[in-house]
Amino acid sequence: MAERRRRLARDPLGLRRALSDRLLPGLVAAMALLAALALAGARGADRLADRWQAGAAAAVTVQVPDPTRERMAAALELLRADPVIAEATAVSPERVAELLRPWLGEAPALILPGVIELHLAAAPEALPSLSNRLAEAVPGAELEAHGIWVARLSALARSVQGVALAVLALVAGVAVAVVAVATRAGLAARREAIGVLHDLGATDRAIAGRFARRVALLAGLGALAGAALAVPALAALSGLALPLSGEEVPAHVLGELPWLMLATLPPAAAGIGWGTAQATVRRWLRRLP
């Protein structure tokens, strides 16, 4: 009897029965998992775009068919005399063959073009005119600026980032709706008890606070479970994405995970649950006769 009175004193509205400790945390866990994946996708797309722009955007190469000594010397002389070019270096045939080996294999009879690697000293707007002068001086020589492809890849990465942030906003909206529905269900289930406490002098603030604390606890626990479920998924995705950014896959991929982002999910979910429950309960109480 004394134990029952203590339970009633701690939970006079019976919220442990009205607000399920399984359904709501389960739904929040699923949404936290989706939020973690969306945030990781946005972060990864941003890192890829920055790395591509910083690395390959300024990479320019020149291909010289039939790379005789005279043709390579003429191309190098023209390129080194241009103020747009900071440095022009001929790539050795052995290095070119090594780079092409994964695609061409061992092909000793194949005549490979000469390759000149360029580093720009200024913006690449003058490259088209330089390409024309190079083609006139060394017929067949082609200047390839990889920045165009890098710009397209970066635009794709930014689009992926935008979609990931839109998904995150959608998940947050769904979380608000789920919490509101669960809170209304709890209010309907405890309508009589709420009416009794209201008649005994309980304020709207006190009743809303009890609901908000219970919902915040359940939402926080659900988000904690969702963040834990996201760890192995993000570890697998990191192992696949790191080589694309030009980085080596570390021995312990877990060190590359966005732990700070994952740590913010439970308090963010608890805050959303608390605020939504407060607003829902106060609106419902104002409609009471």
Side-chain angles (χ1 to χ4, degrees), residues 18-283:
L19 295 174
S20 173
D21 57 358
R22 295 183 182 180
L23 179 60
L24 182 59
L27 293 174
V28 174
M31 287 181 287
L33 175 60
L34 293 176
L37 295 177
L39 285 171
R43 176 174 176 266
D46 184 63
R47 290 179 62 182
L48 283 176
D50 290 343
R51 192 166 186 88
W52 284 337
Q53 288 177 342
V60 180
T61 58
V62 173
Q63 293 186 15
V64 182
D66 188 18
T68 62
R69 183 176 299 178
E70 292 77 12
R71 287 169 60 82
M72 291 292 291
L76 285 170
E77 181 180 0
L78 174 65
L79 293 170
R80 288 170 178 169
D82 194 288
V84 178
I85 306 302
E87 183 181 359
T89 307
V91 182
S92 65
E94 293 78 11
R95 176 61 176 164
V96 175
E98 181 182 352
L99 293 174
L100 295 177
R101 186 173 293 116
W103 291 271
L104 301 180
E106 298 292 343
L110 184 64
I111 300 177
L112 299 176
V115 177
I116 301 174
E117 185 178 23
L118 307 180
H119 295 279
L120 303 182
E125 284 79 6
L127 288 180
S129 62
L130 175 61
S131 178
N132 295 331
R133 288 187 282 112
L134 179 64
E136 293 176 359
V138 184
E142 295 182 357
L143 187 149
E144 296 184 358
H146 305 290
I148 298 175
W149 293 103
V150 172
R152 293 176 180 175
L153 291 173
S154 298
L156 176 61
R158 299 301 183 193
S159 299
V160 172
Q161 185 180 23
V163 171
L165 294 177
V167 170
L168 180 63
L170 179 62
V171 168
V174 173
V176 170
V178 167
V179 171
V181 170
T183 304
R184 290 193 189 100
L187 288 168
R190 307 306 298 167
R191 185 184 183 92
E192 294 183 2
I194 293 172
V196 171
L197 287 178
H198 207 269
D199 292 340
L200 292 176
T203 62
D204 292 355
R205 179 179 180 181
I207 296 174
R210 289 185 178 276
F211 270 91
R213 286 192 293 273
R214 177 64 177 171
V215 171
L217 176 63
L218 296 178
L221 292 176
L224 182 62
L229 291 174
V231 170
L234 293 180
L237 292 175
S238 296
L240 295 174
L242 284 177
L244 297 178
S245 64
E247 303 177 7
E248 294 184 359
V249 180
H252 300 286
V253 183
L254 293 178
E256 298 293 320
L257 296 185
W259 291 108
L260 180 60
M261 178 197 74
L262 293 174
T264 60
L265 288 178
I272 291 175
W274 188 90
T276 304
Q278 281 274 359
T280 303
V281 173
R282 288 177 181 271
R283 191 180 303 113

Side-chain angles (χ1 to χ4, degrees), residues 2-12 14 16-17:
E3 179 64 25
R4 183 180 179 183
R5 289 178 180 176
R6 283 195 295 269
R7 287 200 303 267
L8 289 174
R10 291 194 300 266
D11 187 20
R16 292 183 181 179
R17 297 190 305 273

